[in-house]
Amino acid sequence: NAGVMQNPRHLVRRRGQEARLRCSPMKGHSHVYWYRQLPEEGLKFMVYLQKENIIDESGMPKERFSAEFPKEGPSILRIQQVVRGDSAAYFCASSPRSLAGPYEQYFGPGTRLTVT
Amino acid sequence: RKEVEQDPGPFNVPEGATVAFNCTYSNSASQSFFWYRQDCRKEPKLLMSVYSSGNEDGRFTAQLNRASQYISLLIRDSKLSDSATYLCVVNPGFGNDMRFGAGTRLTVKP
């Protein structure tokens, strides 16, 4: 059973470009979470999604950031018009469908975004 | 006040030492608690869940104190391989959301 997959693992963008980060959850998992980790800092929750629904986006910046988890395909975190401050590691995690959750989350290897 | 607070450390201990980390959380409705471990430039990995009655997994013991709203992690007989950042994780009481502490860095030295 493959774990959580993220791609690309490393992404370099110039200021003003768009960054698209992809996350495929573990098989059987229908909940996806995105976190950002700045150098030498802790994980910051960004958004929690189920298929075709955003459940909690309280950690998402109000502008330039968006996330989706379509019925088919991976979850996408999209950052428009990137700035240097967006440089960070972006981790995706997944968990099973909650009946009596919450369940622990399993993390992907992360995407390291560098904005030049 | 942060939702989840941890002493950032670093904790530098010799091999074989016993070390304990505490973590406090602000939401009294929190239902589930976990400890994760993160190695440098790697993804966090689940270390153990924390149950109300406390639980032990080998050299690791986790405790929950709901009245004081803190959880703890005790590591006995520290190994060099225990060197990592330990993340306290709390479900804030709704859905599957989790909130992570900033982590406590541990270095075990020979």
Side-chain angles (χ1 to χ4, degrees), chain A residues 31 33 35 37 40-43 45 48 56 58 91 95-96 98 101-109 112, chain B residues 2 31-32 34 36 38 40-46 49 87 91 94-103 105:
Chain A
H31 297 238
Y33 315 80
Y35 297 85
Q37 188 171 35
E40 304 302 321
E41 293 189 14
L43 283 161
F45 168 77
Y48 161 34
D56 181 357
S58 58
F91 289 100
S95 68
S98 173
Y103 294 98
E104 55 265 28
Q105 297 177 10
Y106 296 87
F107 281 79
R112 280 176 174 73
Chain B
K2 291 182 182 177
Q31 295 296 319
S32 300
F34 306 90
Y36 277 70
Q38 186 175 26
C40 187
R41 298 184 68 77
K42 298 284 189 180
E43 70 272 25
K45 292 186 177 177
L46 178 67
S49 303
L87 306 173
N91 165 256
F94 52 89
N96 271 3
D97 277 25
M98 299 292 185
R99 295 294 182 267
F100 282 71
R105 185 174 294 181

Side-chain angles (χ1 to χ4, degrees), chain B residues 13-55:
Chain B
V13 302
E15 266 188 295
T18 295
V19 62
F21 308 135
N22 285 336
C23 164
T24 58
Y25 59 94
S26 61
N27 188 339
S28 59
S30 296
Q31 295 296 319
S32 300
F33 310 88
F34 306 90
W35 284 101
Y36 277 70
R37 167 196 172 127
Q38 186 175 26
D39 293 287
C40 187
R41 298 184 68 77
K42 298 284 189 180
E43 70 272 25
K45 292 186 177 177
L46 178 67
L47 179 65
M48 59 196 303
S49 303
V50 185
Y51 303 125
S52 296
S53 55
N55 50 301

